[in-house]
Amino acid sequence: MTSIKRYPWMNHFLGSPTGYVVHLQRGTVKHQGVGQAFWYRPVNSVLSEVPVDDQELPTLFHASTLDFQDVSVQANVTYRFIDPVSVSSRLDFGLKPAGSAPAAGKEQVATIIGQLCQSHAIDLIATTTLAEALSHGVSRLRIVLTESLRADTRLKSTGIEILGVQVLAVQPESDVERALQTPVREQLQAEADRAVYERRALAVERERTISENEMASQIELATRREQLVGQEGANARRTATERAAAELINAQATAERQGISAIAEASQIRLVGEAAAARESATMEVYRGMDQATLLTLALKEAAGSLPNIGNLTITPDLLSGALAGLFRETPANAGE
């Protein structure tokens, strides 16, 4: 940073590494260069300090297109002073006492470069439409401004070198910009809506697929359940048929056993009856040849076997005489026969 120390009748100057100082004393260059340090008398000396580092100049201006639309151009110019002595002689970079108005050298450079940029940009934009200016204006303006500024004789004679030009934006008016953005916004909104609809359709399709799968699973389960019920019914019918056949066989076997038992029992009864009849017949044959007294005795014996036990039996003469009379009375009759 440049510093000046003031003493009576003399001042001391100490320069900076980025400032090129030119010391004129009565119109003659006494000192010049970067980082100078010297004494000088302020009454007959003039000091000018020109920056030698790169300078950035932002600029903004308006232009009209071929279809009469206003656009704003924002650019940035990088330059430097390659001939500080010429610059100090043509522009105001003088070091002034404290309280005085600052040097206007940078403002003069900004005015010169800004006017040159605006002039060349207006000439180019006037031959293009708004659509072309918005689509290709930035690159075209960068090329045109760089070439035109580097070839400008005034800048060269002043000792100013243009390092580069950057065009940052070419914008229309706000209402025109909104109008131009509307179709794109609507298209983007339509794309967003279409994406939403497709996502919803895909979700519906997936839900339908899931429902169809669930329905197919239910149908498959119902079919298998029906097959299971049919198989269970068939098994039940087969079991009942087998049980009925077994019961029928058991019944037939039982009936056959009962029939055989009945036949055997009937045969036994018949045999017993026949044996009893034969015995009775034989007995009757035996009885047929016996006399009455013997038969009576046998009858009494049979009757006595059938009677209950008698503890005491009293036979009176009347009873005995009557029985004997009856017995002997019937015997002759039988003998006569």
Side-chain angles (χ1 to χ4, degrees):
M1 182 177 180
T2 301
S3 64
I4 298 177
K5 294 182 179 181
R6 305 184 185 277
Y7 300 96
W9 303 290
M10 294 292 289
N11 290 341
H12 183 268
F13 175 84
L14 178 61
S16 65
T18 58
Y20 191 99
V21 65
V22 177
H23 175 209
L24 297 178
Q25 186 175 1
R26 294 190 177 92
T28 304
V29 177
K30 292 295 184 177
H31 300 89
Q32 64 175 354
V34 177
Q36 294 290 317
F38 53 87
W39 294 89
Y40 69 95
R41 297 181 62 184
V43 294
N44 59 0
S45 298
V46 175
L47 299 179
S48 298
E49 187 179 27
V50 180
V52 294
D53 55 343
D54 295 344
Q55 303 292 314
E56 301 290 338
L57 176 64
T59 179
L60 177 66
F61 50 88
H62 292 266
S64 181
T65 62
L66 184 62
D67 46 1
F68 307 104
Q69 297 295 324
D70 183 71
V71 294
S72 60
V73 179
Q74 182 179 358
N76 186 75
V77 181
T78 303
Y79 66 94
R80 69 179 178 179
F81 300 105
I82 58 175
D83 190 357
V85 177
S86 299
V87 172
S88 64
S89 63
R90 302 187 62 176
L91 301 176
D92 183 12
F93 281 95
L95 294 176
K96 297 181 180 180
S100 303
K106 287 188 176 181
E107 287 76 6
Q108 293 174 345
V109 174
T111 301
I112 295 171
I113 295 177
Q115 290 177 352
L116 290 174
C117 290
Q118 186 173 2
S119 175
H120 294 294
I122 289 175
D123 293 339
L124 176 62
I125 293 176
T127 59
T128 61
T129 62
L130 178 62
E132 293 175 349
L134 295 179
S135 59
H136 306 290
V138 173
S139 59
R140 292 178 181 177
L141 282 174
R142 182 175 63 252
I143 296 173
V144 170
L145 292 180
T146 302
E147 293 178 352
S148 59
L149 291 178
R150 287 179 177 175
D152 188 77
T153 56
R154 182 180 180 183
L155 296 178
K156 288 182 178 181
S157 61
T158 306
I160 300 174
E161 180 185 10
I162 303 299
L163 301 178
V165 178
Q166 298 296 327
V167 178
L168 305 179
V170 177
Q171 294 179 337
E173 295 180 349
S174 58
D175 53 347
V176 177
E177 186 176 6
R178 285 193 299 270
L180 292 175
Q181 292 173 351
T182 299
V184 178
R185 289 179 178 176
E186 292 180 352
Q187 183 179 0
L188 294 177
Q189 186 64 38
E191 292 292 332
D193 295 340
R194 185 173 62 83
V196 172
Y197 296 151
E198 290 179 355
R199 186 167 59 252
R200 290 180 179 176
L202 181 60
V204 171
E205 181 66 22
R206 290 180 177 176
E207 290 179 358
R208 185 180 65 83
T209 303
I210 294 173
S211 300
E212 289 180 353
N213 293 335
E214 291 178 352
M215 187 177 298
S217 299
Q218 293 178 358
I219 293 173
E220 181 67 20
L221 291 176
T223 303
R224 293 185 179 180
R225 191 178 295 112
E226 181 181 2
Q227 294 176 356
L228 179 60
V229 171
Q231 187 64 36
E232 290 179 349
N235 294 338
R237 287 193 299 272
R238 186 178 303 167
T239 302
T241 302
E242 296 294 334
R243 187 182 295 111
E247 292 177 354
L248 178 60
I249 294 172
N250 292 333
Q252 290 177 353
T254 303
E256 289 179 359
R257 287 196 299 270
Q258 291 178 355
I260 293 172
S261 299
I263 293 172
E265 186 177 358
S267 298
Q268 183 178 3
I269 293 172
R270 186 174 62 253
L271 293 175
V272 172
E274 290 176 354
R279 187 181 63 182
E280 289 294 331
S281 177
T283 302
M284 293 305 294
E285 289 293 333
V286 173
Y287 287 165
R288 187 175 294 115
M290 291 183 180
D291 55 3
Q292 185 176 4
T294 303
L295 292 174
L296 180 59
T297 302
L298 292 173
L300 290 174
K301 183 180 180 182
E302 290 290 334
S306 302
L307 292 175
N309 294 328
I310 300 173
N312 295 315
L313 178 61
T314 302
I315 301 175
T316 62
D318 295 333
L319 179 60
L320 182 59
S321 62
L324 292 175
L327 177 60
F328 289 115
R329 190 173 49 246
E330 292 178 358
T331 302
N334 291 332
E337 293 176 359

